[in-house]
Amino acid sequence: MKTKILFIASLGMLSLIQASSSFADNINGKNLYIQRCSMCHGTDIKGTGPLANKSNPPTPDLTTSAFKKRLKDYPGVIVSSVILRPNGDLIPKTLRENGVKISPYAWRVQDFRDLNQYMRGVILKDR
């Protein structure tokens, strides 16, 4: 009986340790998103930020079923979008034209993982 209680208590402690680690990663991802992405994508990731309609084409809603399918088919799509900037100069140009100054950022691999985890959580939560 004692062994069973000890085992259950150990599992509980492990789940707390894991949860706090994931929570910390999400905090970094959320902070990166708010500082570097939300001005166009909005806090809801639906393309509702104050600069959403100032770019051509307008900032997309990343919670649509088409994007969710893309996210499922290509799990690294968020990270590759940040790294590769498929729109060329669109993002920096939109920011410049609207007087938004974002300092350069030295992205770490963990930052991309955290940002991806945060955004996936918000996107997939929105159903």
Side-chain angles (χ1 to χ4, degrees):
M1 182 68 159
K2 250 183 176 181
T3 306
K4 189 176 182 180
I5 292 172
L6 184 58
F7 178 72
I8 293 170
S10 298
L11 286 177
M13 292 300 291
L14 285 174
S15 70
L16 286 174
I17 292 167
Q18 180 60 39
S20 63
S21 173
S22 293
F23 182 73
D25 293 346
N26 274 329
I27 292 297
N28 183 44
K30 182 177 183 176
N31 287 338
L32 286 167
Y33 178 82
I34 289 169
Q35 294 166 5
R36 308 198 73 78
C37 311
S38 67
M39 67 204 60
C40 293
H41 289 282
T43 56
D44 58 3
I45 305 183
K46 293 184 178 192
T48 58
L51 300 180
N53 294 316
K54 305 245 180 180
S55 65
N56 186 14
T59 304
D61 177 350
L62 300 180
T63 65
T64 63
S65 58
F67 187 81
K68 286 179 184 179
K69 180 180 180 339
R70 194 169 160 214
L71 187 61
K72 181 180 176 225
D73 294 345
Y74 307 101
V77 73
I78 293 169
V79 171
S80 64
S81 296
V82 173
I83 295 171
L84 301 176
R85 302 221 190 254
N87 296 325
D89 191 43
L90 177 62
I91 296 168
K93 180 180 176 204
T94 301
L95 296 174
R96 265 193 321 273
E97 288 175 351
N98 290 282
V100 177
K101 292 178 173 55
I102 295 182
S103 59
Y105 186 75
W107 289 88
R108 300 170 301 144
V109 171
Q110 189 62 47
D111 292 331
F112 288 120
R113 288 180 180 146
D114 294 347
L115 181 62
N116 188 68
Q117 179 187 15
Y118 171 73
M119 289 182 71
R120 280 181 61 93
V122 173
I123 291 166
L124 296 176
K125 188 172 90 174
D126 186 88
R127 299 192 186 251

